[in-house]
Amino acid sequence: MGVAQTAAITGAVGAVGIVLMAPVALSAIGFTSAGITAGSYAANMMSAAATANGGGVAAGSLVAILQSAGASGFTASANTVLASIGGALGTCVGAAVGWLSNIFQKRNEQKRREEAMGAVLFGIAAGALFLWSKR
């Protein structure tokens, strides 16, 4: 499989994967449909945001946006942005993996050629030694 094909596949996987996993990740850190889970990372974020804003969480802040997404899910445009980010990251990872795979394949091919050449030279040397011993 070539670098471009690997990058395309991992880009698609990244795009789909991030759209599917983002709601799970939000819920795991405490942004749920029932609100912010007590004692969670989200609760710590909310506490810090409230302290910084004099007791309340500002509308449009990161905590407010994440809570909205946790409560009602992502909008179509948010899913598009997430898919774009996931696709870009997946493509970069796939290209890097494909590139490294090509390097290792070339090294393995070089090693096989060297081993084959060594076997040929050994055969020639053994044949010459045999013929020399028969004189």
Side-chain angles (χ1 to χ4, degrees):
M1 187 172 357
V3 174
Q5 189 176 10
T6 302
I9 291 169
T10 56
V13 169
V16 172
I18 198 165
V19 170
L20 294 176
M21 293 307 295
V24 174
L26 277 180
S27 181
I29 63 173
F31 293 104
T32 67
S33 59
I36 292 180
T37 305
S40 66
Y41 183 75
N44 289 338
M45 284 180 66
M46 183 177 180
S47 174
T51 302
N53 288 316
V57 176
S61 68
L62 179 61
V63 173
I65 292 168
L66 292 176
Q67 180 51 41
S68 175
S72 60
F74 289 100
T75 63
S77 59
N79 278 331
T80 302
V81 169
L82 286 172
S84 297
I85 292 168
L89 291 174
T91 300
C92 289
V93 168
V97 167
W99 180 71
L100 289 171
S101 176
N102 281 346
I103 288 174
F104 289 121
Q105 285 176 355
K106 287 178 183 176
R107 285 183 182 168
N108 287 340
E109 289 172 9
Q110 178 67 27
K111 186 176 180 181
R112 282 192 293 272
R113 281 193 299 269
E114 289 171 358
E115 289 172 352
M117 183 57 71
V120 168
L121 291 175
F122 178 77
I124 291 170
L129 185 60
F130 176 76
L131 291 175
W132 182 76
S133 69
K134 294 295 182 182
R135 3 179 252 149

